[in-house]
Amino acid sequence: MTVQDTTTSTSETEELSSHVSADAVWRLPVTVCRITGFLGGRTSATLLERAVAAAGGGLTPSTVDGNKVIPAVRRSRSGDFAAPELLAAIDEVLEAVEHTLGVSCRDTEPSYGLNVHNDGDFYGVHQDTDGVGYASDRLLTFVYYLHGTPRPFRGGALRVFDVALPLGSDRVGTWEDRTWRDWEPEHDSIVFFRPTAWHEVREVGCPSGRPEDSRFAVNGWLCRRSDSAVERHG
């Protein structure tokens, strides 16, 4: 009887044990909403002219963490930029974007600017918010792309990294676990994604070095309204 009980117990333990490898990893694609031909030829051409004019002067080296210029992490130029046409168009598609990304942007306000990448420029892997402390008012990231035709630069893709979560509880995810998808900075296209997503701007090659041949992007966020002033990072 004792032997039979022992045998049954061992068999049950084997049946309950997992057959999944302890090294198994969830790979969860991050959702990106992308719309091409967003503003149309006439409006996008007007914004491109405005961006080229801004690139001729008034832009400053892009920063990280609010006010730090760190060329090893981010190399580009940024500045204020008025694009009411773009904001109006975003409002028209916002409901569909919210539904797709599973985020509510009620009672938010935009914070955005112009980012210009020329030869050798890039932005390393980063988040626009950690969702807790760092820039936690950001609820949605948007990036609208502009450039001359034909495209006068190479590279500059937006690389968005998937979430990688080990199934086993005895280890943590590494960058080697992650996969990604690259999104081309096509003229008059826009992408939306959650600001907690890890992403980067791949290095740009622009042999001419001319400002008008740059990769232009109107980059911004829809931010939770606050009665107090909130620092806009990045």
Side-chain angles (χ1 to χ4, degrees):
M1 185 68 175
T2 302
V3 174
Q4 184 178 0
D5 287 345
T6 302
T7 303
T8 301
S9 176
T10 302
S11 176
E12 290 176 349
T13 300
E14 290 176 350
E15 289 178 0
L16 292 174
S17 64
S18 174
H19 296 286
V20 178
S21 168
D23 294 325
V25 177
W26 285 107
R27 299 188 187 278
L28 309 176
V30 169
T31 300
V32 175
C33 296
R34 180 172 182 257
I35 305 173
T36 58
F38 188 52
L39 299 181
R42 179 175 298 181
T43 304
S44 63
T46 298
L47 282 181
L48 178 58
E49 289 179 6
R50 201 179 301 162
V52 169
L59 299 181
T60 58
S62 302
T63 62
V64 296
D65 294 338
N67 56 8
K68 302 174 184 175
V69 177
I70 309 177
V73 175
R74 184 182 189 186
R75 203 181 97 173
S76 61
R77 292 185 299 149
S78 303
D80 294 333
F81 190 71
E85 311 95 323
L86 175 61
L87 295 184
I90 288 175
D91 282 342
E92 292 187 34
V93 301
L94 187 56
E95 184 177 352
V97 171
E98 289 176 306
H99 177 75
T100 302
L101 297 182
V103 61
S104 174
C105 294
R106 294 180 181 178
D107 197 27
T108 57
E109 57 186 353
S111 173
Y112 68 100
L114 179 67
N115 289 316
V116 180
H117 290 77
N118 205 278
D119 194 47
D121 290 346
F122 70 98
Y123 193 174
V125 180
H126 65 285
Q127 294 173 291
D128 290 343
T129 178
D130 61 11
V132 181
Y134 168 68
S136 59
D137 59 325
R138 294 175 177 174
L139 301 180
L140 178 69
T141 294
F142 62 87
V143 189
Y144 174 72
Y145 298 105
L146 295 161
H147 62 70
T149 304
R151 189 184 302 179
F153 62 86
R154 62 179 183 275
L158 171 69
R159 176 167 292 183
V160 180
F161 292 86
D162 299 332
V163 176
L165 300 173
L167 284 176
S169 60
D170 58 343
R171 74 185 193 90
V172 297
T174 66
W175 277 105
E176 287 74 16
D177 290 328
R178 291 179 183 263
T179 51
W180 63 81
R181 180 168 180 177
D182 286 348
W183 300 86
E184 289 297 314
E186 180 181 340
H187 175 72
D188 195 25
S189 69
I190 189 170
V191 293
F192 301 89
F193 55 92
R194 284 177 172 263
T196 51
W198 289 94
H199 58 286
E200 68 175 317
V201 176
R202 303 292 290 170
E203 184 174 341
V204 170
C206 184
S208 75
R210 299 188 305 174
E212 61 267 33
D213 290 341
S214 299
R215 172 194 185 272
F216 298 97
V218 182
N219 189 165
W221 308 271
L222 293 185
C223 304
R224 185 183 297 106
R225 292 183 185 274
S226 174
D227 293 334
S228 60
V230 179
E231 180 184 6
R232 304 294 186 219
H233 294 272

